[in-house]
Every structure is written in structure tokens, then in C-alpha cells.
Amino acid sequence: MTRVIIVRHGQSTYNTEKRIQGRTDVSRLTEKGCNDARKVGRAVSNIVFNAIYCSPLQRAKKTAEIIHSELAEQSAVPQTNDQLLEIDLPLWAEMLSADVKQKFADDYRVWQEHPDKLGMLINDAEGTREHFPVLAVYAQARQFWQEILARHPKETILIVGHNGINRALISTALGISPGRYHSIQQSNCGVTVLNFAGGLDEPVQLESMNQTQHMGETLPTLRPGHQGIRLLLVRHGETEWNRQGKFQGQIDVPLNDNGRQQAAKAGEFLQDVAIDFAVSSTMLRPKETAEIILKQHPSVKLELLDGLREISHGLWEGKFEAEIEQEFPGELERWRTEPAVVQMPEGENLQQVWERSVAAWQSIVQAALENQPQTGLVVAHDATNKTLLCYLLGLSPDNFWNFRQGNGAVSVIDYPLGLNGLPVLQAMNITTHLSGGILDKTAAGAL
């Protein structure tokens, strides 16, 4: 496995001025940006990096240098790579965002709603041509992955880039379309972890995305102009069957002591977040997880939704992998490699999980929007959460294994424009409240 840790540069002068930076190199790190870069360095200081790559633009290069200064001596020295340059927005660069919205109103609307379709006519050495910023940064990201992954098999690398290129890197790794460019976000000094089995055409797992807890932020801040809702998607705490690696599915296994402790830590982590409503799967393990979290929010009533329950593994339930392999030869391997085509014997397939869990999710969003703006807690299961993440990012059930969901982990989904706009995954699989570090150390376990 090749582990890649992606960091966005620290706060810059243009960030504070709300200017569009693009590829201009005028903007510098603020004092806060430098301090946050140090905090990233300390958060990853126990990891030895075989290579560190950064954008040549000074705000990213300086961030990489500060992070490196906090690392163990055996970590590699940062090297610049032009494929990590920020998205190129030549007609808007250096302008205030407010001025762009006003002077390029139609183009800005396209940028917000269909970012892949935004074109800019530019004149350069090649003459007059139409430049599509998002399509270009996606192509740039793919090229970076093809070069870097081949160069660093089974190594650990650090990348320090920008909001736009980092989103393109994550999206091309997972197969998220350019039209969903705004569906994931990257905070200044936010940390993302990707695990690659090999090249871009081999399995890849998003272990976590946009962690900001090392900077003292519980959750990424709401974007300016946010008028929708925020949902905190949590996986239940550990059960004894999780620990043993036994398939539980819809068998109603309760939390074990460690699972209750994980739920309590999630509750402490979210204690200062204003939670307006809470929904859980009807099963014991998420219901108890939600109840423990809500001890910090005693006025919030818990609603139960059957559509959020775990996948039914049918005849696999209550069995270990070795027993399943013996009774259903080759099926576990198919489940690991082609999850969308597996029909669980006397159970469900992922399409059935998709239909009921998405319907439940949409009902939650709809109800919340009628009382907006609100923040809601949603506690469910591994397969349910992974299915919902695929749906939220415009992916199919084939992408099921692209996402990790640790026991007691928190993901953050915003609907900044209500149901009229696409959802935004602000952060995924936050487990710092459980492990104390940026890597997910919760046991993998069975579903």
C-alpha cells in the first residue's frame, strides 16, 4: 500500500482578503498560516515520509518547509512539482471574490453549478484559445498520480498543495466527476489520507478527509453564505462481533465496552457543536451510540429510521470469513472486488441498501430544511454510511470500498444551498477523538 497524506497550504494574505489566488504568486502565508503549518508538522511528526512534494507557489512551498522542520530527521526534503500548481483562473486571479460575482455574474453561476463547463478565452503564445480550468486541473492531477504512484510503490508520501489541485487529486483518485468539483472541500492546513493498492486503476481508499482538529477546530468552519443544513454522519461504536471479525449485518448485536467508550469520546468531541436534531438506525448499536452522544445534548430527541439499518448479509450473518469462504467459495473475494454485483444469500445487495438508505437520508434533509438552518446527528452503520457517501459524491455502489468508516468516526456533510445545490463533503472519517492522531486506528472488523 502507498499511503499519501495531502495538506492544503496555511492561511494566506489573499485568503484573508477574500481574493482569488489561482496561479499568482503574490500571496504569502499569514502568521496564523505559519502557526497552523507547525501544528500540521507536529500532527504528522511520528510519520516518516519517503518523499515530500509541494507546489512551487510560495504559500505552499513555505507550508511544506515549516511542516518539514517539525518532522523526524529521516523524512525526505520537500521538492517542488509543477503538477501541484493551483487551478489556473487567469481572468479572475487577484480579483476579490465579490467583484468576480458581480462582473462575471453568468460565468460565476456556471462555476458554482457546472464547474466543469466553465470556459475562459485566453490569449497566450499559442494564440487565442478556450481554457477549461476544472478539466485542466483534473488532467494535471491524473498526470501527477501516474508519475508519483509508479515512483513510490508501498511508500509514504506527503503532498502540500492548494484547495483546487487537492480536490482534483482526491477526485481523480476516487473517480469523482469534474461536475462535482465543489462537492468536497479543503480547509487551510486540512489533512487528507489516501491509501493506494497500486496505480490509479487499482483499488484506492479515502481513509479520512479534511481533518482540522490539530488546529483546535472541532469541525471545518461553515462556508460564507451558508444557508442550508449540516449533517454529522457517525458510524456506531465497536461491538464484540466487530472486534472478532464476525459478520453481523442485521443481527442486533449491542455495543461492547470499547464501543461505549468510543461513543462517549464522540459525545465529548461534539459537545460544543450545536445539535438541533438526531436520527439513528433502529438497531441497538447505532441507537446506543446516539443516546450516549446525546447525553451532551439532553434537549435533543432521538428519532429512529428503519431505512438506515445495516445491510442484511443473509446466510453470512454470525459467521467468520473462513466459514463464509468454505460455504460460499469465491463470494467473499467478489464482495471485496465487485461489491455492487454481489447478492447476499437470503439477504440484500448494495442497490437495495442504496434505495432505502438514500430515501431515508433525503427524508432527513427535507425535514431539516423546513426548519433551517440546522445541524443534525445521523448515526448508522459501515455499509449504510459508505453507500450514502457514494450517493453524496455522485458515485455508484461500485465505489463502496473507496471509503473508510471507523467505529465512532464522524463525517460532515453540508447542504449550503439547500436541496437546490449539491451536497458538500466537508470532512470524512474523523477519528482524532478516538486515536489522538490523524491516522484511523479503529479496528477494521466485519460489517
Side-chain angles (χ1 to χ4, degrees):
M1 179 187 82
T2 302
R3 170 167 273 152
V4 181
I5 293 178
I6 300 176
V7 179
R8 183 185 173 194
H9 64 76
Q11 184 194 70
S12 68
T13 49
Y14 272 25
N15 288 149
T16 59
E17 293 167 18
K18 295 186 170 47
R19 282 185 192 278
I20 291 179
Q21 306 185 99
R23 295 200 170 170
T24 59
D25 203 14
V26 182
S27 183
R28 301 178 316 281
L29 288 191
T30 62
E31 189 178 347
K32 174 177 166 47
C34 293
N35 288 337
D36 286 345
R38 279 186 206 97
K39 289 174 183 173
V40 175
R42 289 196 281 273
V44 298
S45 61
N46 60 334
I47 301 169
V48 175
F49 293 100
N50 302 99
I52 301 174
Y53 294 100
C54 64
S55 159
L57 299 176
Q58 61 175 329
R59 57 193 186 271
K61 191 163 173 277
K62 179 73 172 170
T63 302
E65 287 164 358
I66 293 171
I67 292 171
H68 181 257
S69 71
E70 299 285 342
L71 300 179
E73 282 179 22
Q74 56 266 49
S75 276
V77 174
Q79 50 186 308
T80 59
N81 187 303
D82 285 352
Q83 301 299 344
L84 294 176
L85 280 164
E86 178 57 309
I87 186 170
D88 193 12
L89 297 163
L91 301 187
W92 297 356
E94 302 197 355
M95 289 181 67
L96 292 169
S97 297
D99 291 345
V100 170
K101 286 181 200 175
Q102 192 180 355
K103 291 179 185 170
F104 296 92
D106 291 342
D107 282 348
Y108 192 80
R109 196 174 306 110
V110 173
W111 166 250
Q112 287 294 321
E113 295 171 8
H114 305 285
D116 52 323
K117 293 188 168 66
L118 175 71
M120 292 183 169
L121 276 179
I122 55 173
N123 293 298
D124 57 18
E126 299 168 35
T128 303
R129 60 190 174 87
E130 192 164 20
H131 165 66
F132 290 89
V134 172
L135 299 182
V137 81
Y138 265 59
Q140 177 186 318
R142 276 191 206 96
Q143 194 174 335
F144 177 82
W145 285 133
Q146 280 154 1
E147 291 171 13
I148 297 306
L149 293 173
R151 198 181 300 163
H152 299 285
K154 296 186 170 64
E155 292 187 345
T156 300
I157 66 174
L158 174 66
I159 292 167
V160 182
H162 309 262
N163 190 4
I165 181 60
N166 288 8
R167 284 194 263 164
L169 288 168
I170 297 162
S171 296
T172 50
L174 300 176
I176 299 168
S177 75
R180 293 284 190 140
Y181 174 75
H182 296 306
S183 286
I184 54 176
Q185 281 299 336
Q186 295 285 284
S187 303
N188 289 117
C189 281
V191 175
T192 296
V193 183
L194 279 166
N195 300 315
F196 292 86
L200 262 190
D201 53 347
E202 293 177 73
V204 56
Q205 179 201 60
L206 184 63
E207 179 178 313
S208 63
M209 193 196 82
N210 205 30
Q211 297 186 66
T212 55
Q213 295 67 45
H214 49 280
M215 295 180 291
E217 263 187 28
T218 303
L219 303 174
T221 50
L222 289 163
R223 309 283 290 172
H226 186 285
Q227 52 193 311
I229 59 164
R230 165 166 280 190
L231 295 177
L232 308 175
L233 181 62
V234 176
R235 183 186 174 196
H236 64 77
E238 185 185 81
T239 68
E240 205 48 35
W241 284 21
N242 282 148
R243 196 185 62 75
Q244 295 169 9
K246 193 185 282 190
F247 279 70
Q248 47 196 1
Q250 293 190 1
I251 292 179
D252 219 359
V253 184
L255 297 181
N256 62 16
D257 287 343
N258 186 44
R260 291 186 190 97
Q261 199 176 357
Q262 289 171 329
K265 285 180 178 175
E268 287 164 23
F269 176 64
L270 297 171
Q271 65 184 354
D272 295 327
V273 177
I275 292 175
D276 302 296
F277 65 95
V279 184
S280 161
S281 153
T282 48
M283 300 184 72
L284 283 173
R285 49 196 189 267
K287 181 173 175 282
E288 190 179 359
T289 301
E291 286 168 349
I292 293 170
I293 292 171
L294 290 175
K295 284 179 181 174
Q296 307 281 352
H297 305 269
S299 63
V300 178
K301 183 171 161 287
L302 181 63
E303 185 192 342
L304 304 179
L305 269 185
D306 201 41
L308 294 175
R309 69 191 182 280
E310 183 57 296
I311 185 172
S312 168
H313 282 302
L315 298 178
W316 291 14
E317 292 183 358
K319 293 184 169 74
F320 292 106
E321 288 191 358
E323 296 173 282
I324 295 168
E325 183 54 43
Q326 197 175 355
E327 286 183 53
F328 306 94
E331 283 300 286
L332 263 180
E333 185 56 27
R334 280 182 76 220
W335 172 238
R336 289 193 196 103
T337 54
E338 302 176 279
V341 302
V342 173
Q343 174 66 54
M344 298 289 169
E346 296 183 23
E348 291 182 297
N349 59 42
L350 279 182
Q351 189 57 41
Q352 290 169 305
V353 178
W354 180 289
E355 285 165 12
R356 62 173 169 79
S357 62
V358 167
W361 181 266
Q362 288 174 329
S363 74
I364 294 166
V365 174
Q366 191 64 58
L369 284 169
E370 287 163 13
N371 305 297
Q372 68 163 346
Q374 285 203 323
T375 297
L377 173 73
V378 181
V379 186
H381 307 260
D382 193 16
T384 317
N385 289 10
K386 286 173 174 168
T387 303
L388 287 170
L389 288 165
C390 289
Y391 157 71
L392 291 164
L393 294 174
L395 298 169
S396 77
D398 297 311
N399 295 89
F400 180 79
W401 293 115
N402 284 145
F403 303 100
R404 185 174 168 103
Q405 288 291 282
N407 288 114
V410 179
S411 299
V412 183
I413 298 100
D414 288 345
Y415 282 80
L417 303 170
L419 273 181
N420 301 324
L422 291 171
V424 178
L425 183 64
Q426 287 282 4
M428 193 211 77
N429 203 41
I430 301 168
T431 59
T432 47
H433 51 287
L434 306 170
S435 63
I438 64 153
L439 301 179
D440 181 355
K441 294 191 175 72
T442 58
L447 302 184

